[in-house]
Amino acid sequence: GFAGSVGGLSSIVREVNGARELARLRWGLVPSWAKELKIGASMINARAETVAEKPSFRVAFRQRRCIVPLSGFIEWQREGTRKRPFAIYREDRAILSVAGLWERWADPAGGEVQTFTVITTAANGFMAPIHDRMPVILEPGDEDTWLSADTEPAALHALLVPCAEGRLAAHEVSSSINSP
């Protein structure tokens, strides 16, 4: 589906002990050292430019990468005080493979909460009129590189770029998309 709400569960693809798995995690990364789960609300995105250095994301960037499969996402275009929502999706309607990170957080009650974040980068030419940022959308041939524990940091950084032009389409949707 489209990107869900913060704190909601979404499916991700990850590699654990050399095997791929589909898992449902909570959106909004909570670092293992965080005192409270609510910090995840401010960690729904990680900037590609700083993801390898930021304390909240650097360990997950090295060890816990994932792919967030989406049929599309909503982005809001600002026009003065007005905001217009646009649905963004692959032009061929294929699933988007969005680069993400996941983390484990120990609940004080003894449980474990697994969370994830989406990595964003500067907008490409298509997205720029709508928003200045966009998710890192992996090409099909780059998915294995992104998930592999053996991938060198330089190869990971090379993937954290705007997607190629001509891949995306968009249309305006009702602003009620943001209203429960």
Side-chain angles (χ1 to χ4, degrees), residues 58-125:
R58 66 181 174 213
V59 176
F61 179 70
R62 287 195 305 266
Q63 300 174 3
R64 285 180 289 282
R65 294 178 300 280
C66 65
I67 291 172
V68 184
L70 298 175
S71 56
F73 59 97
I74 303 295
E75 203 54 82
W76 294 77
Q77 179 187 55
R78 289 189 188 276
E79 288 181 343
T81 58
R82 188 168 171 246
K83 292 183 357 180
R84 298 169 52 201
F86 285 83
I88 319 293
Y89 44 90
R90 274 185 58 134
E91 195 171 55
D92 63 4
R93 300 287 206 257
I95 296 295
L96 297 166
S97 290
V98 175
L101 307 173
W102 69 277
E103 189 59 87
R104 292 183 178 101
W105 181 74
D107 186 311
E112 179 182 88
V113 179
Q114 295 188 9
T115 61
F116 76 96
T117 190
V118 167
I119 301 176
T120 65
T121 189
N124 65 7

Side-chain angles (χ1 to χ4, degrees), residues 48-49 120-124 131-135 160-163:
E49 298 85 348
T120 65
T121 189
N124 65 7
H131 200 274
D132 64 341
R133 304 286 298 171
M134 68 184 299
L160 300 180
V161 296
C163 74

